[in-house]
Structure formats: structure tokens, C-alpha cells
Amino acid sequence: SQTIHQWPATLVQPVGSPLSLECTVEGTSNPNLYWYRQAAGRGLQLLFYSVGIGQISSEVPQNLSASRPQDRQFILSSKKLLLSDSGFYLCAWSGTVGNTIYFGEGSWLTVV
Amino acid sequence: AQTVTQSQPEMSVQEAETVTLSCTYDTSENNYYLFWYKQPPSRQMILVIRQEAYKQQNATENRFSVNFQKAAKSFSLKISDSQLGDTAMYFCAFMKHGSSNTGKLIFGQGTTLQVKP
């Protein structure tokens, strides 16, 4: 069966510091991968999606970037964090575009 | 642009009873998917049920079922025999179908459900 893991689960970072959140999927090949962000008490917003290695599409302009160095690895990064980057970040995957999206456990980022 | 509306910010139900969560959406698309996700206090987003718009039959997963009314653009979730573990925030979500689809889910604002013993 397929599994998705992301880490770290919780992160407290000072303003201006870099960020790296990692996500891996097991049990499938060539998944579509996504990064979502959830503001407190609200629904999710798609940040990035990837249909293959090195292929990244951004949904909203922001202080973050994403990379996919391997087929089942997806990384969310920032060179300099802003206070507004605080939130709950979820990695997700699907088998094909249009298929059901499954989420990881999430990473809670607090920028101080 | 598509929108999803959940008009019930909070609901409660007694254990073993039935509760229905409402969801309406707006789209000009004919083919699409609808989902209900559950987010317990652990914050992980868990798929509850999925409906394909071209299917007239309402989806069912054990105690969870939907009432899909395509013409009315309504997609409600019924939870039967509610259990304490059903306590969570529930999100209704929409996704377009087709090759141009990015896998982008459009979420409602969520309904917090509390199951009381």
C-alpha cells in the first residue's frame, strides 16, 4: 500500500532563517505531488504541484519554492522566512491527475 | 471560478445518532469530483468519501453516505451511528476533471463536528 510521510512535524524558526520541509511517498511510482498550506481554522490552499522530477508549478506567488529531486521526494523551501509564512503545511500525492489526493501528516511551522 | 460553501461552522450530535453536514458549490464544469475530508485534532487530512459527478448513484462508505444533487449543486454528508472518533473538522472539496486539471482541490471553510457521549 502507498504511504506518505513528511517532516519535521513541528518547526519554530526565526524570521529571516531558511526552511526545508521534506515529503516522501512509498509504494507507488511517478506520483503527482502537491504542497498545500492551511491557515488557522480554514480550508487548504494549493501552493505547488509537480507531475514529474524537476517539474514544478506554482499556484500563488509567495516567499516559498518547491523542488522534486527524486521521483517520490518533494521539498518545500524558503531562503528567508517571513512571519506570514507561519501555518500548517501538508504534502499530498495522487496516482494521476484528477485522481483522489491523499495527504501526509502535516508540518506545523511557526515563524517568530 | 469554482467555489465551495459550507454554511454550518459548528455542529454537534449525540453518540449513535445521525447527522448531516451541508455543502454547496458553484461551477460551470460538467465533469468533476467532490470529496469530503475529515481533519481530527491530529490535523492530518483524511479522505472520507468521493463522488464522481457523472455518476448518479450516491457514494457510500460504511457509516458515511452522501446526497449528491447535481442540478442543485449540493453535496451533503450523512454520518450514521455517530461515534466519538468522528469528532473532527469536515471539509467539502471540489476538483475539476480533465487533462488540464492540476489536481487542485477547492475547499470549503469546514464544519466542526462534535460527537457527545
Side-chain angles (χ1 to χ4, degrees):
Chain A
S1 63
Q2 300 86 7
T3 59
I4 179 170
H5 298 289
Q6 65 177 101
W7 67 94
T10 305
L11 199 59
V12 180
Q13 292 286 97
V15 170
S17 65
L19 169 73
S20 180
L21 299 179
E22 295 192 31
C23 170
T24 59
V25 179
E26 299 294 334
T28 187
S29 58
N30 197 31
N32 294 311
L33 298 173
Y34 314 91
W35 278 109
Y36 280 81
R37 177 168 59 195
Q38 184 179 29
R42 299 177 69 87
L44 277 65
Q45 180 186 36
L46 179 65
L47 301 178
F48 301 96
Y49 68 93
S50 171
V51 298
I53 296 174
Q55 300 178 61
I56 309 294
S57 295
S58 174
E59 280 292 302
V60 295
Q62 60 208 315
N63 186 43
L64 301 169
S65 62
S67 62
R68 184 170 178 175
Q70 300 181 42
D71 180 45
R72 293 171 293 168
Q73 184 184 24
F74 206 25
I75 298 172
L76 183 69
S77 304
S78 174
K79 292 182 179 179
K80 292 184 178 181
L81 284 168
L82 306 172
L83 287 174
S84 58
D85 292 324
S86 293
F88 190 62
Y89 291 84
L90 292 116
C91 182
W93 74 277
S94 69
T96 57
V97 175
N99 209 331
T100 300
I101 293 177
Y102 298 96
F103 289 86
E105 308 96 328
S107 298
W108 187 252
L109 170 66
T110 302
V111 182
V112 297
Chain B
Q2 292 78 27
T3 59
V4 177
T5 302
Q6 294 178 247
S7 59
Q8 305 152 313
E10 297 180 357
M11 295 190 71
S12 63
V13 63
Q14 292 296 131
E15 194 175 8
E17 293 188 347
T18 295
V19 64
T20 299
L21 308 183
S22 300
C23 172
T24 58
Y25 58 95
D26 188 24
T27 184
S28 58
E29 302 286 330
N30 190 48
N31 293 324
Y32 49 87
Y33 303 95
L34 295 164
F35 304 87
W36 279 97
Y37 283 90
K38 165 186 175 181
Q39 189 175 40
S42 66
R43 301 299 297 272
Q44 185 170 8
M45 196 70 77
I46 301 167
L47 176 69
V48 175
I49 201 164
R50 161 194 167 110
Q51 176 79 42
E52 292 152 335
Y54 68 87
K55 290 187 177 179
Q56 293 185 341
Q57 185 174 5
N58 289 324
T60 299
E61 287 289 342
N62 300 315
R63 299 182 295 107
F64 299 88
S65 62
V66 298
N67 183 5
F68 173 49
Q69 301 291 329
K70 190 173 184 180
K73 296 180 181 176
S74 171
F75 184 61
S76 61
L77 174 70
K78 185 172 80 172
I79 305 175
S80 304
D81 185 25
S82 297
Q83 301 176 0
L84 295 178
D86 295 334
T87 293
M89 180 168 277
Y90 287 80
F91 289 95
C92 179
F94 170 99
M95 185 165 67
K96 289 195 298 184
H97 181 277
S99 59
S100 61
N101 180 14
T102 64
K104 180 177 180 179
L105 283 164
I106 308 298
F107 283 86
Q109 293 302 89
T111 297
T112 299
L113 175 67
Q114 183 175 13
V115 180
K116 298 180 178 179

